[in-house]
Amino acid sequence: MANGNCFGVLFSITTYGESHGGAVGVVVDGCPPRLPLTEADIQAELDRRRPGQSHITTPRKEADRCEITAGVFQGLTLGTPIHIMVRNQDARPQDYSEMATTFRPSHADATYQAKYGIRNWQGGGRASARETIGRVAAGAIAKKILRLAAGVEILAYVQRVKDIEAQLDPAQVTPEQVEANIVRCPHPQVAAAMIQAIEAAGREGDSLGGVVECVARHVPRGLGSPVFDKLEADLAKAVMSLPASKGFEIGSGFAGTYLTGKQHNDEFYMTPSGWRTRSNRSGGVQGGIANGEDITLRVAFKPTATIRQAQNTVTLDGEDTVLAARGRHDPCVLPRAVPMVEAMVALVLCDHLLRHQAQCGSLNLPEWEGSRFNASETAQALT
Amino acid sequence: MANGNCFGVLFSITTYGESHGGAVGVVVDGCPPRLPLTEADIQAELDRRRPGQSHITTPRKEADRCEITAGVFQGLTLGTPIHIMVRNQDARPQDYSEMATTFRPSHADATYQAKYGIRNWQGGGRASARETIGRVAAGAIAKKILRLAAGVEILAYVQRVKDIEAQLDPAQVTPEQVEANIVRCPHPQVAAAMIQAIEAAGREGDSLGGVVECVARHVPRGLGSPVFDKLEADLAKAVMSLPASKGFEIGSGFAGTYLTGKQHNDEFYMTPSGWRTRSNRSGGVQGGIANGEDITLRVAFKPTATIRQAQNTVTLDGEDTVLAARGRHDPCVLPRAVPMVEAMVALVLCDHLLRHQAQCGSLNLPEWEGSRFNASETAQALT
Amino acid sequence: MANGNCFGVLFSITTYGESHGGAVGVVVDGCPPRLPLTEADIQAELDRRRPGQSHITTPRKEADRCEITAGVFQGLTLGTPIHIMVRNQDARPQDYSEMATTFRPSHADATYQAKYGIRNWQGGGRASARETIGRVAAGAIAKKILRLAAGVEILAYVQRVKDIEAQLDPAQVTPEQVEANIVRCPHPQVAAAMIQAIEAAGREGDSLGGVVECVARHVPRGLGSPVFDKLEADLAKAVMSLPASKGFEIGSGFAGTYLTGKQHNDEFYMTPSGWRTRSNRSGGVQGGIANGEDITLRVAFKPTATIRQAQNTVTLDGEDTVLAARGRHDPCVLPRAVPMVEAMVALVLCDHLLRHQAQCGSLNLPEWEGSRFNASETAQALT
Amino acid sequence: MANGNCFGVLFSITTYGESHGGAVGVVVDGCPPRLPLTEADIQAELDRRRPGQSHITTPRKEADRCEITAGVFQGLTLGTPIHIMVRNQDARPQDYSEMATTFRPSHADATYQAKYGIRNWQGGGRASARETIGRVAAGAIAKKILRLAAGVEILAYVQRVKDIEAQLDPAQVTPEQVEANIVRCPHPQVAAAMIQAIEAAGREGDSLGGVVECVARHVPRGLGSPVFDKLEADLAKAVMSLPASKGFEIGSGFAGTYLTGKQHNDEFYMTPSGWRTRSNRSGGVQGGIANGEDITLRVAFKPTATIRQAQNTVTLDGEDTVLAARGRHDPCVLPRAVPMVEAMVALVLCDHLLRHQAQCGSLNLPEWEGSRFNASETAQALT
C-alpha cells in the first residue's frame, strides 16, 4: 500500500508487471457493485494505447488482449476486486541485451540499479510504458462510472509537438476530432505537420516531446478536498506519475502568473440553475474543489529518452562508453499518452466521487440535514 | 487518513485548524527517535512564513509562537507523534462579515459552501494560508532529519513576480542571498524591482503572482519510487496542494518539450566517486528515482484572489452583487510561499528517505545481500 | 499514516500525547459536515473514562476538560479536521522517578526502550492509558453519527472480574443499569462483589483483570467488508489495541468451537420486514458483514501490570533488582475500560458506515441501479 | 487501498478472485529486492493449504499450481510488485445452483447479497476459502524474509478439535510433528482421535470447529508499534480476517484474567545476552512491542457453516425454505487453517520488520545516534 504501486484511496488500483516479464495487469478495488462491464469496455481504451497502432508509434506487435479474471459476474461488477491481465507476447529480450550492462541517458536504468541493486533490463522492465496498460484498463472503468453517475466526459489530445502548436478551444474539441488522425491532435492541418515532424525525427533516430491538454466536462461541483488532496494536487500527481512527464498546469497555469488578480479572477454570476463563472482561468477548481466549470489541464512530455543516435554513457561496471539504442521505441510518446492522461484524470475524479459521497453523501438522516449531494442533478444543472 | 488532511506515508503529517478558530496545528508521525528537537528549530521556519514580517505581506499581527505538547522529551524526539500548536491571536472576524454571505471570486468560499453546506467564513477558514503553519513546522523537522542523515539542503526563492524575472543558476544560490531581502529573490536588483511592483499592486488594491524555484542538493541516489509515487509525482502533488499554485515543472519542464531527445538527454560520465550526468535537464530525477544531481523544480502561483478592487460576484442566497474585499491580505503570496515550498519538498524527501530505508535498507542478512543503502556515504560521494 | 498512531480509513483519528507531557489529544478527520457538536457531547464520555471518578480507580486528579480548537463552527461540524485537546494537570513525575531506570514487569517500559532507545518514563509516557482520552473523545462523535444516521446503540459493561461473573443477556442490558454502579456491571449483586474484590486487591497492592462485554444494536445490514477488513477483524484490532487486552471473541467465540455446525448455525426465517436469524451465535456478523442482528463481543483485560507489591526485574543498565511501584494506578482497569471499548467499537462502525456509503451508496444513477443503501430504513426494519 | 482487499502497510498484499471465477491471485508489494524466490518456495505452502490433500478435507480437486508473472527476474525479486496467480480448475458451478437463490445459514450468502445487491453464488464466490490462496502465497515470501533476515520461525498447529484437546508446550513443537499427520496436531494420539471425530462428522453431514495455536520464535525485540498497531492488535486483525474465525488470544488470553497482577506479571532477569522474562504470559508482546520471547496466540474456528444436513433458511425472494447443501466442503477447516494462520502471522511480522527498519533503522548518522536496530544480532542473542 505504501510502495508506490497503488493509486487512489476508495477507487484504487494496483498495477504489476515488467515489459518483458510474463504479464502486466491491474487490480481495481472499490468499484461499486452492479456496474455493467465487459472486456470490450476495456479493450477499446487499450487499443488506443497499444504499440503498433500506427507508423508513428513503436512497431512492437502486441494485441494487448485483456482478460478479466475476477470481480465480474454475468456482466456485472461484484463490488469485489476486478483483476485485468494482459500477457506480453512480442517480447524480444535479445534486442535489449546491451541494456543489461549499459545505462540509457535520461532513462530509469541507472536509478533502478542504484535503488534496487537489480533490474529487469529487458525493454525497460517495470519502467516501460507497458506498465500503463493497467492504468488505462482501470481508467476505462472509472470513465464509465463517471459517465453513468454524473455525465462526466474526459477528453485529452495533443496540443503541441515540439514547436508545432494547435490553437484550440478546449470547450469545443470532440472525441471524433481527436481520433480522426494518428497523432490525436484535433486540428487536421496541425496534426499533419506534427505527423511529418515525428516521421522525420524517427528517420533520424531522434525523438520529440510536446504537450497533451485534457478537459473534463460536467464534473460535479463539490468534488475534491481542500488541503493536501486538492483536486489540482491529485491531478498533478496522477499525470506527473506518467513516464516522461516534466510539467503540469491547471487552468491559466504558468501563463496566469503574468496577470494581476483583477485580471485573473473568475467573476461569478447567477443563472437560473445556479452560479457560474464568466471566465475559467481557475480551470474548474477553486481551493481544491470542483466549481462545476470545465477542468482543464496540460502536461509536458519530454522527448523520448531512448533514441537510436549515439550517446555518451556509462556501464554497470563503471566504464565510459557510447550507446546507440536498438529495440523498438516511439519517436514521440504523445499520441499514446493521450489515453494515459485521460485514464489518470478519470481515476482521480472517480476516486473523489466516491470520497465525496462517503463524507458528504446523504446519510438519510431524519434529525440531521446532510449536504444532499446529487451528482446527476448537479451535472444536469451545469449543462 | 483518507480525507485529505494527511500527507506522507512514513513521515506523515496531519494538519488541523481554521484561520480564526482557536488554533492551528500539526501532528507529525513517524519521526525517528532521538532526534534533537526544540521549539526554536521550528520557530525559525515559522518566522519566515508568518504574516506581518514585512510591509509587502499582510499586516495581520501573529507572532505564530509554536508549542510542542507531545513527542519530545528532554530535548529528544521519542518516536511517538509530535504535536505542534499555534494559537490564533489577531483574529478580527468582523472584518470578514461580508464574506459570510458573499463569495470571493477565484477563492474557495463558493466551493466549500457547495461541498459541505457550511464553512467558517472568517478569514477563509480552513482555506486560509494559516493552514500552512502546520506544514512549515513539520517541514522544519523533515529538513533537520535530511540534513543530519544525508546532508540534504533545500532552498527555494522567488524567481519571477509577474514579468519581473531573475536569471539565476540554481546551483549557485545561497540561503543568505535569499534571506537578504523581503521578497526572497536572491538577485538584489531584481528583488528591488519586485518589491516596487508589489507595493504598487498593494496600493491599487490589486495583486500579483509569479514563480518560486526550489533546489534540493545532495539528495541520496535511489530515493523515490518508480510508478505512482515517482519523486516528481509526489513533489508535484506536494506543491500543487499549496494555496494559489497553478503549475509545476521539474528540470527542463515545459521548455524541455521544445528540444529533441538528442538535445534533451543528460549524458552520463564516470567520476572517481561514481557516475554523474553532464547536464541536468532531468532535474535530478530519472524514472521517478533520484539520480544524485540537484533536484530542481518550479511552482507557478497565481495572483492573490482576495483584492480590494470591486468585482462582480454572487451571494449565498443566489443574488448577483459587487464585492470589494476588506480584511488583511497579501498583495503577493510569493515571499511567504518560499518557506512553504521548502517545507513541502522536505516532507516528500524525508518520507522517501524512510521509505527507501524500509524496503532497501540493510536488513543485516547473512545469506542475502541487501542493497546496502548508505545515505551519508552517497551524499558525500556526490559532494 | 503508517506509524500506528492513526485508526480508521474514512472516519479516521490520530492521537498524540504522553501521560506527563503537556497535553494529550486527537485529530478526527472525515466527520460529515453539519453535525451538531459541542464540548459537552465529548465531555460526557470523557467523564466516564477519567481517573479519580470513584474509589476503585486511580486517585490521580484530572478533570480531563476537553477543548475543541478546530473543525466546529457555530455548533456544527465543518467537514474539516476536528481537534480536541486535554491538558495534563495533576502530573507528578517525581512519583515515577524509579521508572526512569527500572522496567516494570509486563509493562511497556522495557520494549519502548528497546525499540526507540528512549522513552518518556513519567507515568508510562505514551503507553499510559491517558492516550485513550483521544479515542474516547473521537468515539463520542462516532457514537453521535451512528445514533443520528442509523439509530445504532453501543453499550459495554463489565461481565466478569477475576472469577466473579454476571449472567447477563446482552439484549436486555440498559445504559442505566451499567452506570448505576462504579464498576459498571449491570447486575447489582455481582457488581457489589466485584467492588469488594477490587478494594481488597487494591489494599494488598495487587490487581485484577476480567472481561468486558459489548453489544451494538441496530447496526445496518451490509456494513463491513468481506476479506481483510471483515467487521470482526476490524473490531478485534480495535479492542486489542487497548492497553491490557489479551483476548477477543465475537458471538459464540471460543465456546462455539465445542458445538457442531448443525448446532452452531443461525437459521434464517422471514418476518414482515425481512429475514432474521433465530439464534445469534454469529454475533451479528456473517462473512465480515453485519447481518442486522446485535453485534456482541467480549474482551479479556489482564490484571493491571503496575502493582505495589515487590517484583523481580532489571534496570536500564542491565542489573537485576526489585521493584515495588509507587505512583497512582488502577487496581482493576475494567470499570474505565468500558467507555474505551464502546469508543473503539463506535469508531469501527462509523468508519464502515462511511465506507459502505462510498462504495454502495446511491450514486443517483439514471441508467444504473445502485444498491440503494438506506441506513435508517434498514435500522427501522430491524427494530 | 481502503476497500478491505489489501493487507499490510509496507509489506502489503492485495488479493483478488472468486471461488469459481477464472483465477485467484495476489499482488505482493514492498518486497525487498534481491531475495531469491521461485515458484517452488510458494508451492510448498500452497500444497499445505490446497483442497483434496487428504480424506478429511474437501474432495475438490485443485492442483493450485501457482505462476509468478511479475516481480522476479532470474530467480531474484526486483523490488517491484510480485504477482502470483492460480487458475481455478475443478469448478462445478452446477453443484451450487441452489445457492443462487437460497442463503446458507451462518455463511456470507445473505450478507453479500444485502451489501452489494449481487454476488457470485458459485461455491461461495469471494467468500470462499480459495481467497486465502493469495494470503498463503504471500505468506511464503514473508516467512522467507523473516527467516533470512532474523531467523524467525513461525509454526501453527491444531490444538483442539471440538473437545478433543492436545496438551502441548508451544516451545517444544516441531514442524515435523505438525506435518506428521493429516490433521496437523503435533500429538499423535490426540491427532488420531481428532481424525476419527472429523470422519464421523463428515459422514453425518455435520461439521466441527476448534482451536489453532501458533508460535513465532526469535522475533526481534522492538518489532511492533505502541498504540493502534500494537503487534497483538495487528495479529488479531490478521487471523480474525480468516474465514470462520470467532476468537483470538495472545499469551495468557482469557485464562489470564483469572490471575492477579502479582501472579500474572512476567518478571525480568538478566542473562549474559540481555534481559529475558521468567514466564511468558505476555505471549512475547509488551505494550504492543515484541519483547524477544516466543509470540504465542490461539484462534477459535467455528464449525464449517456449510453442512449437508437440512436446515431452515430463506430464499432471495423472501420465502422460508429448507436447505441441505450439496457441493464439496470441509467437515472441519482446521487442518487447512494451519498454513493460513502461519501466513497471516508472517505477513504481520514481516510488515512490522520493514516498518521498524524505516523508523528506527540505522540512518548512518554521524551526528545523531540512531537506535541501531540489528535484527540478526538480536535474534542470535535470544537463541
Side-chain angles (χ1 to χ4, degrees):
Chain A
M1 168 191 301
N3 291 288
N5 295 291
C6 299
F7 188 78
V9 173
L10 291 184
F11 189 86
S12 70
I13 71 170
T14 304
T15 70
Y16 64 80
E18 279 75 43
S19 177
H20 290 67
V24 292
V26 65
V27 182
V28 181
D29 200 6
C31 185
R34 297 208 269 168
L35 175 74
L37 188 72
T38 66
E39 285 160 355
D41 288 319
I42 291 156
Q43 196 64 49
E45 291 292 332
L46 290 182
D47 288 347
R48 298 175 71 210
R49 195 220 71 91
R50 78 178 172 81
Q53 63 182 266
S54 77
H55 72 277
I56 59 167
T57 62
T58 168
R60 178 168 171 172
K61 283 191 183 57
E62 293 283 355
D64 284 354
R65 283 291 147 210
C66 70
E67 181 188 9
I68 300 177
T69 76
V72 176
F73 183 60
Q74 299 178 339
L76 296 173
T77 59
L78 284 164
T80 60
I82 301 166
H83 176 234
I84 306 165
M85 190 169 78
V86 168
R87 294 270 179 193
N88 297 320
Q89 298 182 307
D90 185 20
R92 300 190 202 160
Q94 66 284 5
D95 285 9
Y96 302 90
S97 55
E98 76 271 25
M99 292 180 196
T101 53
T102 309
F103 299 146
R104 283 169 293 173
S106 289
H107 210 287
D109 302 335
T111 49
Y112 266 64
Q113 189 71 41
K115 183 177 189 72
Y116 297 117
I118 186 175
R119 78 203 145 88
N120 181 338
W121 46 262
Q122 299 173 341
R126 183 77 176 138
S128 161
R130 281 193 79 67
E131 181 273 328
T132 62
I133 284 177
R135 306 182 187 215
V136 171
I141 303 173
K143 273 186 174 180
K144 188 163 188 178
I145 294 169
L146 288 164
R147 192 177 68 244
L148 292 179
V152 175
E153 183 186 20
I154 297 167
L155 186 59
Y157 45 87
V158 176
Q159 190 261 332
R160 179 160 62 74
V161 168
K162 200 165 184 276
D163 50 2
I164 305 168
E165 186 164 12
Q167 300 301 330
L168 299 163
D169 176 358
Q172 302 301 324
V173 176
T174 68
E176 294 70 29
Q177 291 168 345
V178 176
E179 295 302 312
N181 58 67
I182 56 176
V183 77
R184 294 201 171 87
C185 171
H187 189 300
Q189 289 79 15
V190 176
M194 287 172 171
I195 292 166
Q196 284 191 330
I198 295 170
E199 290 167 345
R203 278 193 304 271
E204 294 159 20
D206 208 343
S207 64
L208 302 180
V211 171
V212 169
E213 191 165 67
C214 183
V215 59
R217 296 168 182 151
H218 311 308
V219 176
R221 189 174 285 166
L223 291 207
S225 176
V227 180
F228 296 112
D229 295 357
K230 286 187 168 75
L231 218 46
E232 60 269 43
D234 278 358
L235 289 167
K237 170 163 177 161
V239 297
M240 289 301 300
S241 76
L242 287 171
S245 61
K246 301 297 287 183
F248 169 83
E249 295 183 317
I250 189 159
S252 62
F254 281 87
T257 63
Y258 290 97
L259 304 178
T260 71
K262 175 71 175 167
Q263 294 163 339
H264 189 271
N265 282 349
D266 296 318
E267 293 190 327
F268 289 112
Y269 69 104
M270 288 306 302
T271 75
S273 55
W275 51 262
R276 298 286 306 268
T277 65
R278 291 220 179 265
S279 50
N280 187 19
R281 279 177 284 268
S282 296
V285 181
Q286 291 172 222
I289 301 170
N291 67 0
E293 306 293 330
D294 285 358
I295 292 179
T296 55
L297 57 90
R298 277 165 303 284
V299 194
F301 288 96
K302 68 174 184 179
T304 321
T306 311
I307 56 176
R308 293 201 316 281
Q309 294 193 22
Q311 300 173 92
N312 295 309
T313 187
V314 298
T315 67
L316 186 58
D317 298 330
E319 302 292 327
D320 285 300
T321 186
V322 172
L323 173 74
R326 295 179 298 149
R328 297 156 296 175
H329 309 287
D330 290 272
C332 179
V333 300
L334 278 90
R336 295 175 61 205
V338 163
M340 298 179 201
V341 168
E342 290 180 3
M344 294 312 295
V345 169
L347 290 171
V348 169
L349 294 178
C350 187
D351 191 31
H352 275 282
L353 182 72
L354 300 188
R355 289 168 68 174
H356 184 84
Q357 174 158 279
Q359 188 183 15
C360 302
S362 168
L363 281 161
N364 298 302
L365 306 169
E367 300 170 48
W368 161 37
E369 287 289 288
S371 73
R372 305 273 171 239
F373 171 65
N374 186 318
S376 50
E377 265 182 30
T378 310
Q380 240 172 346
L382 289 171
T383 313
Chain B
M1 168 191 300
N3 291 287
N5 296 290
C6 300
F7 187 79
V9 174
L10 291 184
F11 189 87
S12 70
I13 71 171
T14 305
T15 70
Y16 63 81
E18 279 75 43
S19 177
H20 290 67
V24 293
V26 65
V27 181
V28 181
D29 201 6
C31 184
R34 297 208 268 168
L35 175 73
L37 188 72
T38 66
E39 286 159 355
D41 288 319
I42 290 156
Q43 197 63 50
E45 291 292 334
L46 290 183
D47 288 347
R48 298 174 71 209
R49 195 220 71 91
R50 80 179 170 80
Q53 62 182 265
S54 76
H55 72 276
I56 58 168
T57 63
T58 167
R60 178 168 172 174
K61 282 190 184 58
E62 293 283 355
D64 284 355
R65 283 292 145 208
C66 70
E67 182 188 8
I68 301 177
T69 76
V72 176
F73 184 59
Q74 299 177 338
L76 297 174
T77 59
L78 285 164
T80 59
I82 301 166
H83 175 233
I84 305 165
M85 190 169 78
V86 168
R87 294 272 179 192
N88 296 320
Q89 298 182 307
D90 185 22
R92 299 189 203 160
Q94 67 282 7
D95 286 9
Y96 303 89
S97 55
E98 77 270 27
M99 292 179 195
T101 53
T102 309
F103 298 146
R104 283 170 292 173
S106 288
H107 210 285
D109 302 336
T111 49
Y112 267 64
Q113 189 70 42
K115 182 176 189 73
Y116 298 117
I118 185 176
R119 79 202 144 90
N120 181 336
W121 45 262
Q122 299 173 342
R126 182 80 177 137
S128 160
R130 281 195 79 67
E131 180 272 328
T132 63
I133 284 177
R135 307 182 187 214
V136 171
I141 304 174
K143 273 185 174 181
K144 188 163 188 179
I145 294 170
L146 289 164
R147 191 177 68 245
L148 292 178
V152 175
E153 185 185 20
I154 296 168
L155 186 59
Y157 44 88
V158 176
Q159 190 260 333
R160 179 160 62 75
V161 168
K162 199 166 185 277
D163 51 2
I164 306 168
E165 186 165 11
Q167 299 302 329
L168 299 163
D169 176 358
Q172 303 301 325
V173 177
T174 68
E176 293 70 28
Q177 290 169 346
V178 176
E179 294 302 311
N181 60 67
I182 57 177
V183 78
R184 292 200 171 88
C185 171
H187 189 298
Q189 289 78 15
V190 176
M194 287 172 171
I195 292 167
Q196 283 191 332
I198 295 170
E199 289 167 345
R203 276 193 304 273
E204 293 159 22
D206 208 343
S207 65
L208 301 181
V211 171
V212 170
E213 191 165 66
C214 183
V215 58
R217 297 167 182 151
H218 311 309
V219 177
R221 191 174 282 165
L223 291 207
S225 175
V227 180
F228 296 112
D229 295 357
K230 287 187 167 76
L231 218 46
E232 59 268 44
D234 278 358
L235 289 167
K237 170 162 177 162
V239 297
M240 290 301 300
S241 77
L242 287 170
S245 62
K246 301 297 287 184
F248 169 84
E249 293 183 318
I250 189 159
S252 63
F254 281 87
T257 62
Y258 290 96
L259 304 178
T260 71
K262 174 71 176 168
Q263 295 163 338
H264 190 272
N265 282 349
D266 296 318
E267 292 190 327
F268 289 113
Y269 70 104
M270 287 306 302
T271 74
S273 55
W275 52 263
R276 297 287 305 268
T277 65
R278 291 220 179 265
S279 50
N280 187 19
R281 279 177 284 269
S282 296
V285 182
Q286 291 173 221
I289 301 170
N291 67 1
E293 306 293 330
D294 284 358
I295 292 180
T296 56
L297 56 90
R298 276 165 303 285
V299 194
F301 287 95
K302 69 173 183 178
T304 320
T306 310
I307 56 176
R308 293 201 317 280
Q309 294 192 23
Q311 300 173 93
N312 294 310
T313 187
V314 298
T315 68
L316 186 57
D317 297 329
E319 302 293 326
D320 285 300
T321 188
V322 172
L323 174 74
R326 294 179 298 149
R328 297 157 295 175
H329 309 287
D330 290 271
C332 179
V333 300
L334 278 90
R336 295 175 61 204
V338 163
M340 298 179 201
V341 168
E342 290 180 3
M344 295 311 296
V345 170
L347 289 170
V348 169
L349 294 179
C350 187
D351 191 31
H352 276 281
L353 182 72
L354 300 188
R355 290 168 67 174
H356 184 84
Q357 175 158 279
Q359 190 183 13
C360 302
S362 168
L363 281 161
N364 298 302
L365 307 170
E367 300 171 48
W368 160 37
E369 288 289 289
S371 73
R372 305 274 172 236
F373 170 64
N374 186 317
S376 50
E377 266 181 30
T378 310
Q380 241 173 346
L382 288 172
T383 312
Chain C
M1 167 190 302
N3 292 287
N5 295 290
C6 300
F7 187 78
V9 174
L10 291 184
F11 189 86
S12 70
I13 72 170
T14 305
T15 70
Y16 64 82
E18 279 75 45
S19 178
H20 290 67
V24 293
V26 66
V27 181
V28 180
D29 201 6
C31 183
R34 298 207 269 167
L35 175 73
L37 188 71
T38 66
E39 285 159 355
D41 287 319
I42 291 156
Q43 196 63 50
E45 291 292 333
L46 290 183
D47 287 348
R48 298 174 71 210
R49 195 220 72 91
R50 80 178 171 81
Q53 64 182 265
S54 77
H55 72 278
I56 59 168
T57 63
T58 167
R60 178 167 171 174
K61 281 190 183 59
E62 293 282 354
D64 284 354
R65 282 290 148 208
C66 70
E67 181 188 7
I68 301 178
T69 77
V72 175
F73 184 60
Q74 299 178 338
L76 296 173
T77 58
L78 286 164
T80 59
I82 301 166
H83 176 233
I84 305 165
M85 191 169 77
V86 168
R87 294 271 178 191
N88 296 319
Q89 298 183 306
D90 185 23
R92 301 189 201 161
Q94 66 283 6
D95 285 10
Y96 303 90
S97 55
E98 76 271 26
M99 292 180 195
T101 53
T102 309
F103 299 146
R104 284 170 291 175
S106 289
H107 210 285
D109 302 335
T111 49
Y112 267 63
Q113 189 71 41
K115 182 177 190 70
Y116 297 118
I118 186 174
R119 78 203 145 90
N120 181 337
W121 46 262
Q122 299 173 341
R126 183 78 178 138
S128 159
R130 281 193 79 65
E131 181 273 329
T132 62
I133 284 177
R135 306 181 187 215
V136 171
I141 304 174
K143 274 185 173 179
K144 188 162 188 179
I145 294 170
L146 288 163
R147 190 177 70 244
L148 292 178
V152 174
E153 184 185 20
I154 297 167
L155 187 59
Y157 44 88
V158 176
Q159 190 260 333
R160 176 161 62 75
V161 168
K162 200 165 184 275
D163 51 1
I164 305 168
E165 187 165 10
Q167 299 302 329
L168 299 163
D169 176 358
Q172 303 301 325
V173 176
T174 70
E176 294 69 29
Q177 291 168 345
V178 177
E179 295 303 311
N181 59 67
I182 56 176
V183 78
R184 293 203 169 85
C185 172
H187 189 299
Q189 289 78 16
V190 176
M194 288 173 173
I195 292 167
Q196 284 190 329
I198 295 171
E199 289 167 343
R203 275 193 305 272
E204 295 159 22
D206 208 342
S207 65
L208 301 181
V211 171
V212 170
E213 190 164 67
C214 182
V215 60
R217 298 167 180 149
H218 311 310
V219 177
R221 190 174 284 168
L223 292 207
S225 176
V227 180
F228 296 111
D229 296 357
K230 285 187 168 76
L231 218 46
E232 59 269 43
D234 278 358
L235 290 167
K237 170 163 178 161
V239 298
M240 290 301 299
S241 76
L242 287 170
S245 62
K246 302 297 287 182
F248 169 85
E249 294 184 318
I250 189 158
S252 63
F254 281 88
T257 62
Y258 290 96
L259 304 178
T260 70
K262 175 71 175 167
Q263 294 164 338
H264 189 272
N265 283 348
D266 296 317
E267 293 190 327
F268 289 112
Y269 70 104
M270 286 308 301
T271 75
S273 56
W275 51 262
R276 296 286 307 267
T277 66
R278 290 219 179 266
S279 50
N280 187 20
R281 280 177 284 268
S282 296
V285 182
Q286 291 173 223
I289 300 169
N291 67 1
E293 305 293 330
D294 284 358
I295 292 179
T296 56
L297 56 90
R298 276 165 304 284
V299 193
F301 288 94
K302 69 175 183 178
T304 320
T306 310
I307 56 176
R308 292 201 317 280
Q309 293 193 22
Q311 300 171 92
N312 295 310
T313 186
V314 297
T315 68
L316 186 57
D317 298 328
E319 302 292 325
D320 285 301
T321 188
V322 172
L323 174 74
R326 294 179 298 149
R328 297 156 295 175
H329 310 285
D330 291 271
C332 178
V333 299
L334 278 89
R336 294 176 60 205
V338 163
M340 299 179 202
V341 168
E342 290 180 3
M344 294 312 296
V345 170
L347 290 171
V348 169
L349 294 179
C350 187
D351 191 31
H352 275 282
L353 182 72
L354 300 189
R355 290 168 68 173
H356 184 84
Q357 175 158 279
Q359 189 183 14
C360 302
S362 167
L363 281 161
N364 298 303
L365 305 171
E367 300 169 51
W368 163 36
E369 287 290 287
S371 73
R372 306 274 170 237
F373 171 65
N374 186 317
S376 50
E377 266 183 30
T378 310
Q380 240 172 349
L382 289 170
T383 314
Chain D
M1 169 191 299
N3 292 288
N5 295 290
C6 300
F7 187 78
V9 174
L10 291 184
F11 189 85
S12 70
I13 72 170
T14 304
T15 70
Y16 64 81
E18 279 75 45
S19 177
H20 289 67
V24 293
V26 67
V27 181
V28 180
D29 201 5
C31 184
R34 299 208 268 166
L35 176 74
L37 188 71
T38 66
E39 285 160 355
D41 288 319
I42 291 156
Q43 196 63 51
E45 291 292 334
L46 290 182
D47 286 348
R48 300 175 70 211
R49 194 219 73 90
R50 79 179 173 81
Q53 62 182 266
S54 76
H55 73 276
I56 59 169
T57 63
T58 167
R60 179 168 170 173
K61 281 190 185 59
E62 293 283 354
D64 284 354
R65 283 291 147 209
C66 69
E67 180 187 9
I68 300 177
T69 77
V72 176
F73 184 60
Q74 298 179 338
L76 296 174
T77 58
L78 285 164
T80 60
I82 301 166
H83 176 233
I84 306 165
M85 191 169 79
V86 167
R87 295 272 179 191
N88 297 320
Q89 298 183 307
D90 184 22
R92 301 189 201 161
Q94 67 283 5
D95 284 10
Y96 302 90
S97 55
E98 76 270 27
M99 292 180 195
T101 54
T102 309
F103 299 145
R104 285 169 291 173
S106 289
H107 210 285
D109 301 337
T111 50
Y112 266 63
Q113 189 70 42
K115 183 176 189 71
Y116 298 117
I118 186 175
R119 78 201 147 90
N120 181 338
W121 46 263
Q122 299 172 341
R126 183 79 178 137
S128 160
R130 281 194 77 65
E131 181 273 328
T132 63
I133 285 177
R135 307 181 187 217
V136 170
I141 304 174
K143 273 185 174 180
K144 188 163 189 180
I145 294 170
L146 288 163
R147 190 177 71 244
L148 292 178
V152 175
E153 185 185 19
I154 297 167
L155 186 59
Y157 44 87
V158 175
Q159 190 260 334
R160 177 160 63 75
V161 168
K162 200 166 185 274
D163 51 1
I164 306 168
E165 186 164 11
Q167 300 301 330
L168 300 163
D169 176 358
Q172 303 302 325
V173 176
T174 69
E176 294 68 30
Q177 290 169 345
V178 177
E179 295 303 312
N181 59 67
I182 57 175
V183 78
R184 295 202 170 86
C185 172
H187 188 300
Q189 289 78 17
V190 177
M194 288 172 172
I195 292 167
Q196 284 191 331
I198 296 171
E199 289 167 344
R203 277 193 304 272
E204 295 159 22
D206 208 343
S207 64
L208 302 180
V211 171
V212 169
E213 190 164 65
C214 182
V215 58
R217 296 166 183 152
H218 312 310
V219 177
R221 191 175 284 165
L223 290 207
S225 174
V227 180
F228 296 112
D229 295 357
K230 286 187 170 74
L231 218 46
E232 60 268 44
D234 278 358
L235 289 166
K237 171 163 177 160
V239 297
M240 290 301 299
S241 76
L242 287 170
S245 62
K246 302 297 287 183
F248 169 84
E249 292 184 318
I250 188 158
S252 62
F254 281 87
T257 63
Y258 290 96
L259 304 178
T260 70
K262 175 72 175 166
Q263 295 163 338
H264 189 271
N265 283 348
D266 296 317
E267 293 190 325
F268 290 112
Y269 69 104
M270 288 307 302
T271 74
S273 56
W275 51 262
R276 298 286 306 268
T277 66
R278 292 221 179 266
S279 50
N280 186 19
R281 280 176 284 268
S282 296
V285 182
Q286 291 173 223
I289 301 170
N291 67 0
E293 305 293 330
D294 285 358
I295 293 179
T296 56
L297 57 90
R298 277 165 303 284
V299 194
F301 288 95
K302 69 174 185 178
T304 319
T306 311
I307 56 176
R308 291 201 317 279
Q309 294 193 23
Q311 301 172 92
N312 294 311
T313 187
V314 298
T315 67
L316 186 58
D317 298 329
E319 301 293 326
D320 285 301
T321 186
V322 172
L323 173 74
R326 295 178 297 148
R328 298 156 295 176
H329 309 286
D330 290 271
C332 178
V333 299
L334 279 88
R336 294 176 61 205
V338 164
M340 298 180 202
V341 169
E342 290 180 3
M344 294 312 295
V345 170
L347 290 171
V348 169
L349 295 179
C350 187
D351 191 31
H352 276 281
L353 182 71
L354 300 188
R355 290 168 67 172
H356 184 84
Q357 174 158 280
Q359 189 183 14
C360 302
S362 168
L363 280 162
N364 298 302
L365 306 172
E367 302 169 49
W368 163 36
E369 289 287 287
S371 74
R372 307 271 171 239
F373 170 65
N374 186 318
S376 50
E377 266 183 29
T378 311
Q380 240 173 346
L382 290 171
T383 314

